[in-house]
Amino acid sequence: MVENEILLKSLRGEKIERFPVWLMRQAGRYMSEYRRLRAKAGDFLDFCKNVELAVEASLLPLKLLDVDAIIIFSDILVPLEAIGVKVRFLEGEGPKLDWDGELGSLKDYDPEENGYVYEIIRQVKKAQSKVPVIGFAGAPFTLSSYMIEGASSREFRRTKLFMWERERHFFNLMETLTEVIFEYLSHQIEAGADVVQIFDSWTNYLSYGDYEYYVYPFIDELINRLKSNYDTPVIYFFKGSSSFFDLAASTSADALSVDWSVELSQACLRTDKALQGNLEPSVLYAAEEVIRHKTLQLLRSVPRSSRYVFNLGHGLAPDMEFDKVKLLVDTVKSFKL
Amino acid sequence: MVENEILLKSLRGEKIERFPVWLMRQAGRYMSEYRRLRAKAGDFLDFCKNVELAVEASLLPLKLLDVDAIIIFSDILVPLEAIGVKVRFLEGEGPKLDWDGELGSLKDYDPEENGYVYEIIRQVKKAQSKVPVIGFAGAPFTLSSYMIEGASSREFRRTKLFMWERERHFFNLMETLTEVIFEYLSHQIEAGADVVQIFDSWTNYLSYGDYEYYVYPFIDELINRLKSNYDTPVIYFFKGSSSFFDLAASTSADALSVDWSVELSQACLRTDKALQGNLEPSVLYAAEEVIRHKTLQLLRSVPRSSRYVFNLGHGLAPDMEFDKVKLLVDTVKSFKL
């Protein structure tokens, strides 16, 4: 039980007096307090594995922004370490992954190798009972694309060639990852996560047909397995939301977290799922009156019958100003239903 | 009159025996013959202004690929020079534009400063009567974003801040560009262009609401003005096609050229306009059997009642192989209706 149940109520469709708000990457570099913790931790992966510091980072947005949910501080790539993929974060370069492209070189997933993640959830739950805790994982496609590219990418050419030219291998990889992510999220739920979010951060690079054929069956299966084992709400975040909306809406996810390619009020009418999103993050680079105007415009557009959670259409960026993020959160909280 | 009217017939909805094919950036660096002409020309802008070489470049895809239309070799930025924006192309860096952000520093558009473009059209028409000639221009938003960013961009932050924070200025700029592009395309049509295509190459970076509010009214007006003055078919290419499809479909364009975010057969059912596109260009990096499979799959998906023109969802890239491009064109031409 948490004091502030507004997020859970909104997801369940119960009456709320304002829309709940949390932000993707809310514990991040735009916060000086985060940067201080990060400096203490050393390497980024060490930070993710340092339970004490990761708990402190997770709690920062509750303390400093008074958001309606805590998403644990971690990284989507950590379960890949637990199947034998070497992951490094080089300063200013993003992640580097070593995988030879062969399924045979992966080891069986040992969920206990990610024990620190579950411990972070337990400790965040213990440290506060004010708001729900969101666990998360990368979606099978997003993780597979990191494994295949070996790094962040701007065009995902290797991933696409792998998908198209080594189709059977690709499907096997997606099946493996679906299983890994199911176990990983199950452990997060058992550790106390009140909600889980699955991140499909790169699907906007795919054609409609490729998403439907190569990606959808696995995300659908993953969410089905979660929902048939747990009551915990599942939020599915996917980029390219206007393209894949109807497919995503046909999964058993409780909520869809959408990017700014969809018009929110239209999207609300196209599904009876809860929706989350979809303010364009770069609005936060604009003047305060623009932030206020764009945020209120979005909130006013949501049909009153909809289950809705305010968020951005993608994560906060390191070069955003804390005060503007705070203004955003305060604006959402000031909007009464 | 042209010998091969298949493109025009398809746009008009007349009976055809196979789908017409041409490719965005079909006269481009992936062709060694193009690179030879480019080396002769010196600077990229000199190439665009060298009528003899530009005509030769325009004709290459007819000669080497036997496509069903010639798009003239030029660049969308050339009309900006004619309103006083300094445009340079630095080797390997893309375009650089100098504009101080003030409308007052622009001069009135003098269409004769783009006389070389019309001359290229006249000479391409004279040099061959086999296929129709496509003239083109950047859309108001795409040109405004180049002016505001001063270069190619990956996030269009300056453009968005200009749009949001200096709204009246932005609307004035869009109005000016709409007028410029109307005049520029009118002269192309009067020089003999059989079809014109308008390129909105960066709209995929916009939210639905921003496209609707800041972009749509101007593209709608531009196409309306063209269609009330000329019979020439107008093709509107816009990225972010799944997001803005219904808005684009409500313009008076004859055809919509769509990217791979839409499923083509669904798109065909959502409009009675002709459609063009939408193969994902990176398919051309794949093995030959993938290229053949993906192309035939696309062609088979088009409802027989649709007016359709094969193209990619975006332009060819310099690092693509000529032989694979040729395979693509031949595959389309071998598909009989």
Side-chain angles (χ1 to χ4, degrees):
Chain A
M1 285 296 291
V2 292
E3 280 164 53
N4 170 359
E5 279 205 293
I6 192 169
L7 173 75
L8 302 170
K9 281 186 173 173
S10 188
L11 290 174
R12 290 192 297 249
E14 294 170 20
K15 200 174 154 45
I16 47 177
E17 278 163 22
R18 60 171 180 80
F19 290 123
V21 51
W22 69 278
L23 303 171
M24 290 187 267
R25 251 184 252 142
Q26 64 187 13
R29 275 196 280 160
Y30 74 98
M31 274 182 173
S32 56
E33 292 80 358
Y34 172 96
R35 295 193 298 270
R36 262 199 296 278
L37 295 174
R38 173 85 176 71
K40 264 198 229 175
D43 179 59
F44 179 75
L45 268 181
D46 293 338
F47 192 8
C48 293
K49 292 173 187 174
N50 184 323
V51 174
E52 193 190 328
L53 294 180
V55 168
E56 220 179 315
S58 308
L59 293 167
L60 286 176
L62 176 64
K63 205 165 73 183
L64 302 174
L65 295 171
D66 199 19
V67 286
D68 297 311
I70 290 173
I71 183 161
I72 55 156
F73 170 71
S74 190
D75 190 86
I76 58 167
L77 300 180
V78 299
L80 297 184
E81 283 197 313
I83 53 171
V85 177
K86 204 171 151 46
V87 180
R88 288 163 301 150
F89 283 83
L90 305 177
E91 212 52 51
E93 276 187 63
K96 303 282 166 200
L97 296 88
D98 287 323
W99 177 53
D100 64 3
E102 297 302 328
L103 274 170
S105 67
L106 299 176
K107 57 175 193 167
D108 284 343
Y109 180 62
D110 176 6
E112 282 322 304
E113 281 198 41
N114 291 139
Y116 55 91
V117 175
Y118 323 134
E119 186 57 27
I120 292 165
I121 292 175
R122 277 188 291 267
Q123 294 206 15
V124 171
K125 289 294 292 177
K126 227 170 99 182
Q128 61 82 42
S129 57
K130 197 170 168 203
V131 296
V133 172
I134 304 174
F136 72 92
F141 173 72
T142 290
L143 293 187
S144 75
S145 72
Y146 274 107
M147 289 173 69
I148 296 167
E149 300 290 330
S152 298
S153 172
R154 289 196 184 275
E155 54 170 22
F156 297 90
R157 193 190 298 181
R158 285 170 146 215
T159 306
K160 289 175 182 176
L161 294 183
F162 194 107
M163 203 164 82
W164 296 333
E165 295 180 345
R166 302 177 65 194
E167 189 170 292
R168 201 146 39 102
H169 270 70
F170 183 79
F171 282 133
N172 288 339
L173 173 61
M174 289 290 280
E175 216 166 272
T176 302
L177 290 171
T178 301
E179 176 63 35
V180 168
I181 300 161
F182 171 71
E183 285 197 51
Y184 181 56
L185 285 175
S186 298
H187 279 78
Q188 292 190 39
I189 292 169
E190 281 157 22
D194 301 291
V195 174
V196 292
Q197 177 156 320
I198 302 169
F199 286 83
D200 237 342
S201 309
W202 304 122
T203 38
N204 54 319
Y205 289 90
L206 293 176
S207 72
Y208 180 90
D210 283 344
Y211 178 87
E212 183 180 37
Y213 186 67
Y214 293 107
V215 176
Y216 172 75
F218 299 95
I219 191 73
D220 185 50
E221 189 198 323
L222 172 62
I223 301 172
N224 276 337
R225 287 188 63 184
L226 287 167
K227 293 307 298 179
S228 49
N229 285 276
Y230 304 99
D231 283 335
T232 311
V234 174
I235 305 174
Y236 177 45
F237 169 71
F238 62 111
K239 289 293 296 293
S241 307
S242 66
S243 191
F244 316 128
F245 188 84
D246 293 338
L247 286 168
S250 76
T251 64
S252 45
D254 298 272
L256 302 179
S257 190
V258 289
D259 67 24
W260 53 99
S261 67
V262 298
E263 205 278 318
L264 193 60
S265 69
Q266 291 173 14
C268 287
L269 302 175
R270 281 167 67 187
T271 182
D272 50 15
K273 290 188 187 313
L275 285 182
Q276 178 177 275
N278 67 342
L279 190 73
E280 186 182 349
S282 49
V283 167
L284 284 165
Y285 296 116
E288 294 191 357
E289 60 271 24
V290 173
I291 298 174
R292 230 180 263 115
H293 169 70
K294 289 271 193 189
T295 306
L296 291 173
Q297 197 178 37
L298 186 76
L299 295 168
R300 279 192 289 261
S301 78
V302 180
R304 282 301 161 272
S305 57
S306 299
R307 298 182 285 150
Y308 172 66
V309 176
F310 181 87
N311 210 316
L312 299 171
H314 201 69
L316 288 165
D319 63 350
M320 287 170 175
E321 287 172 38
F322 176 82
D323 289 346
K324 290 187 169 179
V325 178
K326 179 96 176 85
L327 170 70
L328 172 69
V329 172
D330 291 344
T331 304
V332 179
K333 294 175 74 178
S334 73
F335 182 81
K336 303 293 176 206
L337 292 173
Chain B
M1 286 295 290
V2 292
E3 279 164 54
N4 169 358
E5 280 205 292
I6 193 169
L7 173 75
L8 301 170
K9 281 184 173 174
S10 189
L11 290 174
R12 289 192 297 250
E14 294 170 22
K15 198 173 155 46
I16 46 176
E17 277 163 21
R18 60 172 180 82
F19 290 126
V21 51
W22 70 277
L23 303 172
M24 290 187 270
R25 251 184 252 143
Q26 62 187 16
R29 276 196 280 161
Y30 74 98
M31 275 183 174
S32 57
E33 292 78 359
Y34 172 96
R35 295 194 298 272
R36 262 199 295 276
L37 294 175
R38 173 84 175 70
K40 266 198 226 174
D43 180 58
F44 179 74
L45 269 182
D46 292 339
F47 192 8
C48 294
K49 292 173 187 173
N50 183 323
V51 173
E52 193 190 328
L53 294 179
V55 168
E56 220 179 314
S58 308
L59 292 167
L60 285 175
L62 176 64
K63 204 164 77 182
L64 302 173
L65 294 170
D66 199 18
V67 287
D68 297 312
I70 290 173
I71 184 162
I72 56 156
F73 170 71
S74 189
D75 191 86
I76 59 167
L77 300 181
V78 299
L80 297 184
E81 283 197 313
I83 53 171
V85 178
K86 204 171 149 47
V87 180
R88 288 162 301 151
F89 282 83
L90 304 177
E91 213 50 54
E93 276 189 61
K96 302 283 166 201
L97 296 88
D98 287 322
W99 177 53
D100 63 4
E102 298 303 328
L103 275 171
S105 66
L106 299 176
K107 58 175 192 167
D108 285 344
Y109 179 62
D110 176 6
E112 282 321 305
E113 281 199 41
N114 291 140
Y116 55 91
V117 174
Y118 322 134
E119 186 56 26
I120 292 165
I121 293 176
R122 277 188 291 267
Q123 294 206 15
V124 170
K125 289 294 291 179
K126 227 169 97 182
Q128 61 82 43
S129 56
K130 198 171 169 199
V131 297
V133 172
I134 304 174
F136 71 92
F141 173 72
T142 291
L143 293 188
S144 76
S145 72
Y146 274 107
M147 288 173 70
I148 296 167
E149 299 291 330
S152 298
S153 173
R154 288 196 185 274
E155 54 171 22
F156 297 91
R157 193 190 297 181
R158 285 170 145 214
T159 306
K160 289 175 183 177
L161 294 183
F162 194 108
M163 204 164 80
W164 296 333
E165 296 180 345
R166 301 178 65 196
E167 190 170 290
R168 201 145 39 102
H169 269 69
F170 184 79
F171 281 133
N172 288 339
L173 173 61
M174 290 290 278
E175 216 165 88
T176 301
L177 289 172
T178 302
E179 175 63 33
V180 168
I181 299 161
F182 171 71
E183 285 197 53
Y184 180 56
L185 286 175
S186 298
H187 279 79
Q188 292 190 39
I189 292 169
E190 281 159 22
D194 300 293
V195 174
V196 292
Q197 177 156 321
I198 302 169
F199 286 84
D200 236 342
S201 309
W202 305 122
T203 38
N204 54 317
Y205 289 90
L206 293 175
S207 72
Y208 180 89
D210 284 343
Y211 178 87
E212 184 180 36
Y213 186 66
Y214 293 107
V215 175
Y216 172 75
F218 299 95
I219 192 72
D220 186 48
E221 188 199 323
L222 171 63
I223 301 173
N224 276 337
R225 287 188 64 185
L226 287 167
K227 292 308 296 179
S228 48
N229 284 276
Y230 304 100
D231 283 335
T232 311
V234 174
I235 305 174
Y236 177 45
F237 168 72
F238 62 110
K239 290 292 296 292
S241 307
S242 66
S243 191
F244 316 128
F245 188 85
D246 293 338
L247 286 168
S250 75
T251 64
S252 44
D254 298 271
L256 301 179
S257 190
V258 290
D259 68 24
W260 52 98
S261 68
V262 298
E263 205 277 318
L264 193 60
S265 68
Q266 291 173 13
C268 287
L269 301 175
R270 281 167 67 188
T271 181
D272 50 16
K273 288 190 189 314
L275 285 181
Q276 178 178 276
N278 69 342
L279 190 75
E280 187 183 349
S282 49
V283 166
L284 284 165
Y285 296 115
E288 293 191 358
E289 59 271 23
V290 173
I291 298 174
R292 230 179 263 116
H293 169 69
K294 288 272 192 189
T295 305
L296 291 173
Q297 198 177 37
L298 185 76
L299 295 168
R300 278 192 289 262
S301 77
V302 179
R304 281 301 161 270
S305 58
S306 299
R307 297 182 286 150
Y308 172 66
V309 176
F310 182 87
N311 209 317
L312 300 170
H314 201 68
L316 289 165
D319 62 351
M320 287 170 174
E321 287 171 38
F322 176 82
D323 289 347
K324 291 187 168 178
V325 178
K326 179 92 176 87
L327 170 70
L328 172 68
V329 172
D330 291 344
T331 304
V332 179
K333 293 176 73 178
S334 72
F335 183 80
K336 302 295 174 202
L337 293 174

